[in-house]
Structure formats: C-alpha cells, structure tokens
Amino acid sequence: MSQPSFFAEDQSVIESALEKLLPAESTRPSTIHQAMRYSVFAGGKRVRPILCYESARVFSQHVDAAATAGCALEFIHTYSLIHDDLPALDNDDLRRGKPTCHKKFGVAMAILAGDGLLTLAFETLSNANIAAERRVRIISEIGHAAGTVNGMVGGQVADVEAEGKQVDGAALEYIHRSKTAALIRASVVAGAIAGGAHDEDVARLGRFGEAVGWAFQVIDDLLDVEESSVALGKTAGKDQVQKKATYPAVFGIEKSRTFAQELSQRAHRELDCYGDRGARLRELANYLLSRRA
Ligand code: FPP
Ligand code: MG
C-alpha cells in the first residue's frame, strides 16, 4: 500500500506547527530544549497528529486547531519513546535510525526532556483554538489515554511486568490496547471532537481508532521479528531477546497477521456510514497497517 497522496502535505503542516510550538534551542535552559527538539525532529512519521487532523476533516473544514492538538499528541508519543528507550526500561541505543535521547544527552536530560514534552502537551492543548467545552473534553480524553487506567503508562507497566513470563491472550490484549491503542484512539477522538462531531460520531471514530491502534501494535510486534534494524531505524529482534509479551510470541506469525487483518476490517466497518467523507481515514488505516517500518 503506497503512502496516501495527502500524507506528505499533512506531514508538512504538522512539522511547521511543531516548529512553532516547541521552545527554541536557545531558550534557557538550552540543553533540555535541544534534547526535546532532537527527539521530536528525529524523523517520526507523525501518525498520531495526522490521524487527529484527518478525523477533524471528516466533520469540518476548519482543521488548524486539530493540527495543534495533533502536535500535543506527538509530544506525548515522543516522551513515551524517550522514556521507553531508557536503560531502566527497554535500554535501546537506536531510535528512528539515530542515537536515542539518553545516548546523545545523558539519562538525566532524557528523563527531563520526556517530562518537558508531556507537560508541554497539556499546555498546548489548553491554549488550542477550540471552544472551551470541547477543549476540556479533549484534554480529559488525552490525559486518560496517556495515564495508568487502561492508558499508555498502565500498558507500559504491564509490558515491563510481563517480561520473561508466560502471558495469555487476555494479558496481551490489555498491554496492546493500553500501551499503544489508547493514544491512537485518543488521537482520532480528539480530532473528531475538535471538528465538532456529535457524540455518536465521536464514539464511532473512537472504535475505529481503537481497532487501528491495536492492529498498529500487532504489526509493530511482527516488524520486530520480520524486518532489519536498518529498515526499522531501531534495534530489530529485541522483543525475543527481552522475552517480551508479543502477538507473534504467543500466537505465531500467521495468526498474528490474520488478527491484524481482522482488526483492520473492524476499523473499516466503523467508517462505512461516512461514504466519501471517510475516504482519507480509510486510506490512512490501510497505509498504517501495511507499513514496513
Ligand atoms: C512506534 O510508533 C511506537 C509504538 C508502536 C508505541 C509503543 C509504546 C510505547 C513505547 C509506550 C511507552 C510508554 C511509556 C510510558 C514509556 P510509530 O511507528 O508511530 O513511531 P514513529 O513516531 O517513529 O514513526
Ligand atoms: Mg517498550
């Protein structure tokens, strides 16, 4: 599946919004701003901001504020990668083909850069040009998705605690839905809310985002087995070395691929009622779930 025609254009909208929202490297204290910028501009695909932006477009033509909310999601995503790579967690030297934040700036600065990005995300959301009631709903959705109860931090805790243990399908489901799907779901939901969607549409897009996000992590597990470190820009084959709870480890490659396809179909069904208005989200889902890196 090739990259959707609008993807590069969306990426450049997000790049310039990120550029404006991040403090300049020279801003005191300069080291942390260098570290935050180093990781945000290390070559991420901008999946979450683009999902947010394009979800808003299903409901509105005024999508600038959704791009701002998308940047907040990218800050949270980047913080999670910086902390995930730390020696106390996955201990990785390579991310997006470059030295990880702690390799470049030291562990203390990497922890603080993550803290800075997480905090900047909520400042950014609070200042976004979205009606107050919707803005607060978005902050609540994203805060919950990044948090400990069925959210990213909770999923990461379960991921760490599952290392080296025999896990079942239910435990694996919890890890994937919390660690990865929650923030991707929140990206889609935040876009829909920013675009002025009615509650039932927000819920429907939430189910779409959840299925895409879950499949996204199943694919991530598969890529770790199937692709090279060069292709991935991070150390391949690490899940097996670290005895991680992954879909291929528990169900095998074939079943994991089939499951990712089922989730993709589930995602598509949620968009059926939108006709042409859902075309971009359909293309995005297909692209993200056929990715090789
Ligand atoms: C790749 O995203 C990342 C994932 C699939 C998410 C993995 C989840 C974590 C690392 C959670 C960590 C949580 C904490 C609290 C430390 P991507 O393919 O969009 O990456 P890109 O931005 O490099 O393109
Ligand atoms: Mg990890």
Side-chain angles (χ1 to χ4, degrees), residues 84-85 89-90 95 156 159-160 163 179 239 242 244:
D84 188 55
D85 290 333
L89 289 161
D90 280 355
R95 170 72 71 177
Q156 182 75 357
D159 178 293
V160 168
E163 258 178 52
K179 181 178 81 165
D239 290 344
Q242 294 185 330
K244 285 277 186 187

Side-chain angles (χ1 to χ4, degrees), residues 106-118:
V107 170
M109 211 45 68
I111 292 171
L112 293 167
D115 294 340
L117 286 167
L118 177 58

